[in-house]
Amino acid sequence: MLQNYFKIALRNLIRNKVYSAINIAGLAIGVASCILIFLYIKDELSYESHFDKADRIVRLVGEIDSDAGHEQFALSAPALAPALVKDFPDVEHVTQLARAGKQTVWYKDKRFNEDDLIFADSSFFQVFNYEMLAGNPAEVLDEPNTVVLSEKMAQKYFNSPAEAVGEIFTFSNEPYQVTGVFRDAGHSHIKANAFISRSTLDARLDDETRNNQWFAMSRYTYVLLHGPEEFDAFQAKMDAFAARHVNPWIKENDLSGTMRFVVQPLRTIHFDTNYAADLSPAGNISYVYIFAAVAVFLLLIACINYMNLATARSAKRAKEVGLRKVVGADRSQIIRQFMGESVFITLIAVMLALALVQILIPTFNALTDKNFTSGFFLQWEFLAILLAIVVFVGIVAGSYPAFFLSGFKPADVLKSDKAPRGGSAILRRALVVLQFTISLIMIIGTIVVFSQMNFLKNRDLGFNKNQVMVIDIPRGDSTLVKGLPRIKQELLSNPNVEVVSNTNNIPAEGMSKLLMLMEKDGQQVEKTMNTMFVDYDFLDAMGIKLSRGRNYSRDFKTDEKSALIINEAAAKLMGWTNPIGKRIQVMDLDAKVIGVTKDFHTKSLHTEVEPLLMVLAPESDGYLLARVKPQDMAATVNFIENKWQAYDPKHPMDYFFMDEHFDEQYRAEEKMLTVFGYFAGLTILIACLGLFGLASFTAEQRTKEIGIRKVLGSSTGSIVLLLSKDFALLVMLSIILASPVAWYGMNKWLQDFAFRVPLSWWIFAAAGCSAMLIALLTVSLQAMKAAMLDPVNAIRTQ
Amino acid sequence: MNKEELIIETENLQKKYITDTVETTALAGVDLKIKKGEFVAIMGPSGCGKSTLLNILGMLDSPSSGAFRFLGQDISKATERQRAKLRKENLGFVFQSFNLIDELTVEENIALPLAYLGVSKADTEKKAREAMERMGIAHRRNHFPQQLSGGQQQRAAIARATVSNPSLILADEPTGNLDSVHGREVMSLLSELNEAGTTVVMVTHSPSDAEYAHRIVNLFDGQIVTENLNVRRHATELL
């Protein structure tokens, strides 16, 4: 019997090629998208999972409440580690990391600028079990001046990991011996090219910082507990810990505010966007939800196609059902047959989907910046998901047709003059409306997303990001800093170089906050504020405008000691109506505000412009900015390259352009949203496939009516109109339903941005019109075919 | 008439169709007894209830009221599943429009009832082959219905109706879509089956087809108006 069902299913598929193609193509596209989305989500959720003890590790992050507001840092103080060990002897391990950032690395005659260097101690590898390709994890970082390389970094310098061990590298003029090589597999918020023994760094700390300075937040502190069930209790212990050690210290030192340590489970770090100065940018969990929803939508739309087309076509299968009943089939057997058929079709679609995925993986990788391979095809998790898809789609898509078809009465359907109607037209219409509502929500979403992205890139940032070449000035090299005035002059000798400036920081890089005293109602109050160290030419090089006062000037000898520039947001924060002359004490400066800049963005437009202090420090290292003329760019860049390399032959030169660097902040988001856009396109495609099938069915069903109308003198045009009108109404209804939902969703998404496009009516109108246009094109094609038939043939077919 | 021998017995069988506004009476109290081995023709003008009666006898439809016993068993209260079981074990159907499944070959169509009876593969092949040979369509076994002439299609349909060796064959205008030559051929086949012991109940418009039956039941407005013994057929048998 199974064989019989199989044959019927297969022959039906072959005989009704268009119908089968629509169903299978729709399902295959839906399933392929689901598989790709599954891969993406699984990858996003896989952070830290490769560490054996991932579920037992927590990070302690700092939260400070003070006049400056509520501040959250991924960082904590060096003093935390020894205090934890002392207070909680039952804690298995405490380990701290510190960023070493980007450094020039020397090895024999090789020189590279290496990023993502991290200071760690010997207990680090006890907590995070990296696979070691060389070296013993228990002791690799025991000695000072040792370094453990990542496999990737080792490959740059050596032929094999074993070869690296014992070799000497130089970082910041200090020798470090390679003691091990680890494999950099799996996703983690800790992205390291090398772990450097922290003892060198620790040796530099003064006693106060080492033992007691709780606001010296420069470390990432991880604690290995016995299991997740301890997390809550440990949080309570940490609250008591802060009350015991930290808050008394704050009082003793006449500082304001209170501090708390929050226990952050390792597995939650990747999606936790709350903490500043994290080791790597946080992921966005809402994209995981959005993509999961998109996957379900795509499958649902494909299922609806199947249901609609199967019931619409049911008249054709009615005779078969009747006959099977006549020869003795009962209803349950018929239900099983049709369910089986949909599972069978789903299986074919899944096969096709797998082939599609295989073809699409490289493109998908390029779109998402991931590195998927088809190796996952054989993982049990994947096979389980595949099975779930087959069962879900088979049952969802197959159930309605199965129950509907199996209800046919043989006495009704076997009389040739009494063909049954193809299922409930109302239900079918409702399903079409659902499909188009989903598609429209996605179209509207796509339009909003892309206009927002466009807005972000083109908005006036308060500075001119174009035509600024940025050169990394290696930090901590005093001879380089001393010679800056000379190299700046040399660069300015080229008429295409307009302004040259040096600064410790640039927009889109993390800003550091400093504690300062600021004048408020005749008193000096404590504030923490983003602070940059800039030279005389910074505002000109950046194209930042002053709203009050003046820029730093070489003509005022006192500027270096007693003048400060702030932005408007800082003036607003202090409530200064006339900020010029207000007193600010920061570090060893006691200075007056001489200028206020217009607000400019130092971070992505997700956030408002924050208060900012720009301190004059002509010897800042960090970045050299060169504003160049657009003419002869390549030659100018080449000129600057040559000059800089001659000036600093010790370090490999790193440079980039400000605009690209700033837009880089949106790159991950943009990639994700591009993928979303593709999937939105696919939903529309699948929905239209279904509509095409349904329209052809309607035209077929109404052939006789069309014939009679034509005999009575109706034109082709009016028949196309007649057939299209119904569908147009359905799409219209979808627009009405989709608009508020999309408005709500997109409004919520836009809340993530401090600066956003308005949700104007034209977005909804454009989405509605395009959906209507696509739907009508699809339908009228079929309608036209029916309307052009000779009326004689049309009447005869019934 | 001996009750043991009855295959079908109805008493005051009624069937009403109710639509939004109209109530139509298709059968208005039919009392019919059919013996095993009989060949009964049901005749009457269009809309007199012939097909409705045949559908009820074939358990494809249920009566609104009245009693219907099949082989002594009361069917009027049977569930769909029970009726499906009785159908597949005892009944064979022949339709005016053949009703072969387009997606199955002749042989597969004929084997279909055996599949629902759970007959083994080897037996199915054997029985289907025998049925095809009996009906003279064995050479067309791998063809699809659309590739056959009307007469061949109806022979395939009869082969399917008889493949499971049913005790009763219900035929609804079996020659309605055939020319006279093929029509006669089909009637001879039904007659042969009857002679071999199968009960046949046939709805027909054609007086010449009715000639093959032992008994002719005339329906009018949902009631039996006359029941005639076919003298000629009886006479032949008596000879």
Side-chain angles (χ1 to χ4, degrees), chain A residues 150-349:
Chain A
S150 71
E151 186 182 14
K152 202 172 83 200
M153 184 168 163
Q155 276 165 356
K156 238 152 92 177
Y157 301 86
F158 307 102
N159 294 321
S160 75
E163 226 174 81
V165 176
E167 295 299 305
I168 307 288
F169 275 75
T170 308
F171 298 91
S172 328
N173 298 322
E174 275 203 63
Y176 286 86
Q177 185 175 39
V178 179
T179 49
V181 177
F182 65 91
R183 189 190 289 285
D184 30 15
H187 292 314
S188 172
H189 75 291
I190 304 170
K191 289 185 179 58
N193 276 320
F195 291 104
I196 306 169
S197 162
R198 218 189 55 217
S199 38
T200 331
L201 186 71
D202 288 353
R204 276 187 230 137
L205 297 177
D206 56 55
D207 279 351
E208 171 67 7
T209 312
R210 188 175 299 136
N211 300 320
N212 231 351
Q213 214 326 348
W214 295 103
F215 281 176
M217 294 203 276
S218 56
R219 300 289 167 90
Y220 301 90
T221 309
Y222 301 86
V223 179
L224 179 63
L225 298 173
H226 295 102
E229 67 284 355
E230 275 185 15
F231 290 1
D232 285 344
F234 192 65
Q235 178 64 65
K237 284 184 194 170
M238 284 315 296
D239 288 340
F241 177 94
R244 197 158 59 234
H245 296 283
V246 184
N247 293 326
W249 171 85
I250 293 174
K251 272 214 186 86
E252 269 168 38
N253 287 275
D254 269 344
L255 299 165
S256 72
T258 54
M259 186 174 179
R260 179 167 185 257
F261 297 102
V262 174
V263 174
Q264 187 187 31
L266 181 70
R267 296 293 297 266
T268 67
I269 292 178
H270 176 59
F271 288 116
D272 198 336
T273 53
N274 291 326
Y275 295 95
D278 210 330
L279 275 168
S280 53
N284 192 338
I285 189 79
S286 50
Y287 287 116
V288 170
Y289 296 140
I290 290 173
F291 276 74
V294 167
V296 173
F297 282 166
L298 274 163
L299 265 193
L300 194 65
I301 287 180
C303 286
I304 289 177
N305 277 355
Y306 184 92
M307 286 158 79
N308 269 347
L309 292 179
T311 51
R313 282 187 65 265
S314 58
K316 294 201 166 174
R317 298 295 294 272
K319 195 173 90 174
E320 181 193 331
V321 172
L323 243 150
R324 285 184 181 276
K325 285 194 167 181
V326 162
V327 299
D330 59 41
R331 189 167 182 180
S332 67
Q333 281 170 309
I334 307 272
I335 290 177
R336 265 185 305 209
Q337 178 190 347
F338 283 103
M339 288 280 220
E341 210 163 284
S342 76
V343 169
F344 171 67
I345 289 177
T346 313
L347 265 176
I348 297 179

Side-chain angles (χ1 to χ4, degrees), chain A residues 298-493:
Chain A
L298 274 163
L299 265 193
L300 194 65
I301 287 180
C303 286
I304 289 177
N305 277 355
Y306 184 92
M307 286 158 79
N308 269 347
L309 292 179
T311 51
R313 282 187 65 265
S314 58
K316 294 201 166 174
R317 298 295 294 272
K319 195 173 90 174
E320 181 193 331
V321 172
L323 243 150
R324 285 184 181 276
K325 285 194 167 181
V326 162
V327 299
D330 59 41
R331 189 167 182 180
S332 67
Q333 281 170 309
I334 307 272
I335 290 177
R336 265 185 305 209
Q337 178 190 347
F338 283 103
M339 288 280 220
E341 210 163 284
S342 76
V343 169
F344 171 67
I345 289 177
T346 313
L347 265 176
I348 297 179
V350 165
M351 302 290 177
L352 208 65
L354 285 178
L356 259 175
V357 167
Q358 179 77 21
I359 295 168
L360 289 176
I361 276 189
T363 318
F364 191 65
N365 278 341
L367 277 175
T368 53
D369 251 352
K370 304 261 181 194
N371 199 12
F372 301 118
T373 58
S374 45
F376 66 84
F377 279 15
L378 291 173
Q379 286 169 14
W380 69 266
E381 255 176 316
F382 176 72
L383 294 175
I385 286 277
L386 220 51
L387 188 71
I389 289 177
V390 171
V391 171
F392 172 81
V393 174
I395 288 176
V396 168
S399 57
Y400 176 62
F403 281 97
F404 173 71
L405 280 162
S406 64
F408 284 154
K409 287 211 165 63
D412 294 339
V413 295
L414 290 177
K415 280 278 176 191
S416 54
D417 57 334
K418 248 168 117 191
R421 290 228 148 246
S424 154
I426 292 179
L427 181 68
R428 211 153 45 229
R429 285 189 188 130
L431 290 174
V432 169
V433 169
L434 178 63
Q435 278 185 313
F436 267 79
T437 304
I438 294 172
S439 305
L440 267 162
I441 292 172
M442 291 190 62
I443 298 182
I444 295 170
T446 311
I447 299 178
V448 172
V449 158
F450 282 97
S451 50
Q452 172 70 9
M453 282 289 131
N454 201 31
F455 169 81
L456 290 182
K457 283 193 183 160
N458 294 323
R459 190 187 146 85
D460 180 10
L461 295 169
F463 71 93
N464 184 355
K465 67 181 174 181
N466 301 315
Q467 307 294 127
V468 181
M469 183 172 169
V470 184
I471 300 157
D472 266 344
I473 307 175
R475 288 166 203 258
D477 189 327
S478 53
T479 50
L480 271 184
V481 175
K482 290 274 177 287
L484 281 174
R486 178 171 63 82
I487 178 71
K488 281 159 89 175
Q489 278 313 312
E490 272 183 46
L491 295 180
L492 284 168
S493 70

Side-chain angles (χ1 to χ4, degrees), chain A residues 1 4-5 7-8 11-12 15 319-320 323-330 332-333 410-411 414-415, chain B residues 51 55 60 81 84 87-88 93 95 99-105 108 112 115-116 144 146 160 172:
Chain A
M1 183 55 62
N4 185 284
Y5 292 161
K7 264 185 215 156
I8 287 256
R11 286 176 191 161
N12 259 313
R15 191 157 301 175
K319 195 173 90 174
E320 181 193 331
L323 243 150
R324 285 184 181 276
K325 285 194 167 181
V326 162
V327 299
D330 59 41
S332 67
Q333 281 170 309
L414 290 177
K415 280 278 176 191
Chain B
S51 290
N55 284 336
L60 300 177
R81 195 179 278 265
R87 269 204 303 271
K88 70 178 167 190
F93 288 84
F95 301 92
N99 282 332
L100 295 165
I101 298 180
D102 294 338
E103 283 74 25
L104 295 179
T105 62
E108 287 159 357
L112 195 60
Y116 283 106
F144 286 95
Q146 322 73 290
R160 184 181 58 195
D172 193 354

Side-chain angles (χ1 to χ4, degrees), chain B residues 22 24-25 27 30 32 58 64 69 73 118 127 145 156 167 177 196 227:
Chain B
V22 201
T24 324
T25 304
L27 295 178
V30 172
L32 181 65
S64 309
R69 279 185 288 277
Q73 187 184 346
K127 286 187 177 176
S167 43
N177 282 6
E227 271 189 75

Side-chain angles (χ1 to χ4, degrees), chain A residues 11-12 16 78 140 215 228 230-231 265 318 433 459 514 516 528 560 614 630 656 682 702 711 765 771 773:
Chain A
R11 286 176 191 161
N12 259 313
N16 305 290
V140 279
F215 281 176
E230 275 185 15
F231 290 1
V433 169
R459 190 187 146 85
L514 286 188
M516 57 196 75
T528 52
E560 255 189 81
M614 282 154 278
F656 52 87
L682 285 179
R702 293 171 76 171
V711 168
L773 199 72

